[in-house]
Amino acid sequence: MPESAGPRIVSDVMTHTAVAIGRDAPYKEIVALMDEWKVSALPVLEGEGRVVGVVSEADLLPKEAFRGADPDPGAGEDAAKARAVRAGDLMSSPAVTVHAGASLAEAARIMARRRVKRLPVVDGVGMLEGVVSRSDLLKVFLREDGEIRAEIRRSVLDGAALTGMDVTVTEGVATLRGTLAERALVPLLARAARAVEGVVDVRMELTDPREGGS
């Protein structure tokens, strides 16, 4: 993975060619598309491509869960989805989406908070631009250790007060070593290093030059 000019955003890692469906897509077609494309959810579009909902595996499962039963119309959302045969009735709406310019951290927070595996990526008026998945967001951890080390040295340690410090990176774990008189800087340095994409953890091995040891 080449060195980036700055923090990656959703458009850097998303799938730009995304499979999607319309409101009238039938149940079996939805299942077939998910199987063919190996995805767990499909955006539902209307008009020129505006995202109005998402059909996920969770939306499809009630039909199997209620197999052999006669879902009571008043039994709730799962019962309604067990009877549904078209995307418009199966989908979760409004869709949980993210903008192409959002940070990867923001996309990860949305996925965690809303408990979804994939997010449609939309523009300012809700038109589909692509899809980003959990695996896309994890691509930052494919960065080489040497690339991460170079960025930490450049963006975190390049300062007059930090001339006695250096960093090593092994399997994504960054270890900051050296002398540092301003102990108040320690948590700030750790936070700045942890913010570098691809860093798995940060360790501090610092000495105070005024104490002559650790």
Side-chain angles (χ1 to χ4, degrees):
M1 186 177 291
E3 186 169 346
S4 62
R8 271 176 275 269
I9 58 177
V10 167
S11 63
D12 294 326
V13 300
M14 73 183 191
T15 300
H16 291 263
T17 303
V19 59
I21 54 177
R23 285 180 178 270
D24 292 330
Y27 186 100
K28 289 194 70 172
E29 178 184 325
I30 298 169
V31 175
L33 283 171
M34 285 185 178
D35 181 66
E36 178 183 354
W37 290 87
K38 301 297 185 285
V39 296
S40 58
L42 295 170
V44 181
L45 310 182
E46 70 176 11
E48 297 299 314
R50 186 168 61 88
V51 179
V52 293
V54 171
V55 175
S56 70
E57 292 170 335
D59 296 316
L60 299 175
L61 279 176
K63 191 170 293 295
E64 183 64 23
F66 280 87
R67 181 177 297 281
D70 186 13
D72 182 346
E77 184 178 7
D78 281 353
K81 291 190 176 185
R83 298 191 305 273
V85 296
R86 302 283 177 180
D89 297 319
L90 288 160
M91 69 184 186
S92 298
S93 181
V96 180
T97 62
V98 69
H99 291 291
S103 69
L104 301 191
E106 181 180 350
R109 285 193 293 269
I110 294 172
M111 285 187 186
R113 185 170 63 248
R114 303 302 294 270
R115 298 182 180 180
V116 296
K117 299 176 182 178
R118 296 165 61 84
L119 291 171
V121 183
V122 299
D123 64 13
V125 294
M127 303 293 280
L128 183 68
E129 294 190 324
V131 171
V132 66
S133 67
R134 290 176 177 175
S135 61
D136 293 326
L137 300 183
L138 291 174
K139 289 176 182 177
V140 294
F141 295 105
L142 297 177
R143 296 185 78 187
E144 297 290 338
D145 288 342
E147 181 185 339
I148 298 171
R149 178 175 183 264
E151 183 172 340
I152 293 176
R153 293 184 70 179
R154 181 181 65 253
S155 64
V156 179
L157 300 182
D158 187 16
L162 306 174
T163 54
M165 294 184 58
D166 200 359
V167 59
T168 59
V169 180
T170 304
E171 296 295 328
V173 177
T175 302
L176 277 64
R177 295 185 175 90
T179 57
L180 181 67
E182 297 295 330
R183 307 306 287 182
L185 293 178
V186 172
L188 301 179
L189 287 173
R191 188 179 306 120
R194 192 170 285 112
V196 172
E197 290 179 345
V199 170
V200 175
D201 194 13
V202 175
R203 298 171 183 172
M204 312 292 282
E205 297 182 2
L206 307 176
T207 59
D208 188 335
R210 295 168 299 187
E211 298 175 357
S214 57

